[in-house]
Amino acid sequence: MTRFHTPVLLKEVIEFLAPKEGGVYFDGTLGGGGYAEKILEASGPDGVLFGVDVDNDALVAAKKGLEKFGERAVIEKANYADVLNFADKRSLKFDGMVGDLGVSSHQLDLGARGFSFNSDAPLDMRMDKSGGETAIDVIRSCSCGELEEIFVKYGEEKFARRIAENVFEKKENIRTTLDLEKICWSAYPSKLRHGRIHPATRVFQALRIAVNGELDNLEKFIGDAPGVLRSGGRLVIVSYHSLEDRIVKLAFKGLAMGGGFKLLTKKIVGPSDDEIAANPRARSAKLRAISKGVVKNVLFGGWSKMSRC
Ligand SMILES: C[S@@+](CC[C@H](N)C(=O)[O-])C[C@H]1O[C@@H](n2cnc3c(N)ncnc32)[C@H](O)[C@@H]1O
């Protein structure tokens, strides 16, 4: 597969998803198609994978990598938050669904996308470049208080207020990733500037989440996905920071407590040391999975399969 993105926790995702021959699958964050390729291999010769992404670059890369599967790989531009509509329109239910949250390596590494302060580029940060506000638009349209709220809520940034004040004051002069990086750097207390995390990291994360509505999309997806899973179907989510993981954890817990779903991961599943050594971007990955069609057995207090769900 292409180096567009090195799939994270690939072996574990496939183990938890357990694709079966002839199954129907949904990859809500297709990226370079690394998960999709393995799902199609494991569900062959007749399994079908519906893969969506909001990023045109991802769709092009995935189409190329998956063309060997012919009509078994159905690739479309869509937001995974619209999964209910996507499935209803095609009268689909899925045997497995996967979401691999956050950005692809391609988005981070292609400086021009404006996601990273490793290179200087217009501060864009949109995954879907066909519309919506860029990070610059967000910065220019927010009050100082709103910027602070974004940095606190989506970045858990300790120095949100002083960074927001500096950004707000200089907002007309901020155009590029490095303009913003420099402001974060100088707003940080000097003795903390050389810590493990660069002073701009959390602010960049926060703006990216705000620009792409990432947490709202995740909440919508996780609320709707269980309804389009077949009995016995599995939902696997890989997240990369505590804000995302909290949403996944609470939603899965709620589903399991409500009956009809079983938690397949009592604790998060993370990458091995070998994977982190080979791909340092995997280090914060957290996998959680549930399956549908299992109810609490009242008599024995254990879990048993439901015949219908
Ligand atoms: C971490 S990458 C996925 C990599 C993929 N698992 C692979 O194996 O190549 C995340 C992808 O999700 C996409 N994405 C983010 N939010 C999305 C959304 N709401 N709907 C659809 N795709 C989304 C991004 O554009 C990006 O391509």
Side-chain angles (χ1 to χ4, degrees):
M1 204 75 208
T2 138
R3 289 297 94 185
F4 183 90
H5 178 85
T6 302
V8 171
L9 290 172
L10 179 59
K11 184 169 74 63
E12 293 81 355
V13 164
I14 300 302
E15 266 169 28
F16 279 99
L17 200 63
K20 58 180 187 199
E21 231 180 88
V24 180
Y25 295 91
F26 180 80
D27 184 342
T29 53
L30 192 56
Y35 290 176
E37 181 180 41
K38 291 288 173 232
I39 294 168
L40 283 159
E41 279 171 9
S43 63
D46 300 323
V48 178
L49 175 119
F50 292 84
V52 303
D53 204 293
V54 286
D55 185 336
N56 288 334
D57 292 357
L59 296 167
V60 169
K63 266 193 183 135
K64 190 156 174 267
L66 301 175
E67 69 190 350
K68 62 188 172 196
F69 296 102
E71 291 180 353
R72 293 181 54 214
V74 183
I75 296 170
E76 291 203 11
K77 180 166 185 171
N79 188 324
Y80 71 79
D82 294 330
V83 66
L84 203 54
N85 193 23
F86 185 94
D88 279 356
K89 262 191 5 212
R90 295 162 183 83
S91 305
L92 290 171
K93 290 248 174 178
F94 303 107
D95 295 296
M97 305 174 77
V98 63
D100 182 17
L101 310 178
V103 274
S104 66
S105 302
H106 171 81
Q107 287 164 334
L108 276 179
D109 295 342
L110 193 70
R113 300 293 301 262
F115 282 102
S116 156
F117 50 87
N118 287 332
S119 53
D120 201 14
L123 200 52
D124 188 321
M125 296 198 186
R126 287 170 303 164
M127 292 185 187
D128 180 358
K129 290 194 67 150
S130 65
E133 287 190 323
T134 65
I136 283 287
D137 297 331
V138 170
I139 286 175
R140 299 236 168 108
S141 63
C142 279
S143 66
C144 186
E146 287 166 339
L147 285 172
E148 181 185 351
E149 196 185 329
I150 288 174
F151 300 158
V152 169
K153 198 167 152 199
Y154 300 144
E156 298 180 313
E157 171 53 64
K158 258 202 290 191
F159 300 103
R161 172 159 307 167
R162 48 202 285 185
I163 296 176
E165 284 167 357
N166 279 271
V167 170
F168 186 72
E169 193 186 309
K170 298 178 185 124
K171 67 180 175 181
E172 294 309 326
N173 299 322
I174 302 176
R175 283 183 184 79
T176 72
T177 49
L178 291 194
D179 292 339
L180 179 61
E181 183 266 344
K182 282 182 201 135
I183 290 173
C184 298
W185 177 269
S186 51
Y188 240 64
S190 51
K191 58 176 188 282
L192 298 179
R193 285 179 190 157
H194 298 278
R196 199 172 54 82
I197 295 180
H198 186 286
T201 301
R202 294 182 196 279
V203 166
F204 270 65
Q205 172 186 299
L207 279 171
R208 194 199 82 210
I209 291 175
V211 164
N212 296 290
E214 289 179 35
L215 300 186
D216 291 345
N217 285 334
L218 174 59
E219 277 177 348
K220 177 86 172 33
F221 175 68
I222 221 158
D224 288 345
V228 291
L229 264 184
R230 285 183 179 155
S231 178
R234 292 173 168 214
L235 171 59
V236 180
I237 307 265
V238 178
S239 67
Y240 294 86
H241 54 74
S242 54
L243 299 167
E244 292 170 341
D245 184 53
R246 203 172 300 147
I247 293 173
V248 180
K249 180 177 159 183
L250 288 178
F252 282 10
K253 217 170 158 183
L255 286 166
M257 282 169 62
F261 288 85
K262 180 184 180 183
L263 280 177
L264 301 176
T265 46
K266 295 266 152 50
K267 290 185 183 157
I268 50 168
V269 174
S272 64
D273 292 343
D274 285 351
E275 178 167 3
I276 296 172
N279 178 16
R281 280 185 184 153
R283 68 185 173 277
S284 53
K286 302 169 182 69
L287 181 155
R288 292 186 189 270
I290 49 164
S291 67
K292 185 172 182 175
V294 191
V295 286
K296 196 143 191 219
N297 181 326
V298 179
L299 280 179
F300 303 108
W303 294 97
S304 63
K305 278 208 163 170
M306 268 172 54
S307 53
R308 291 170 67 85
C309 183

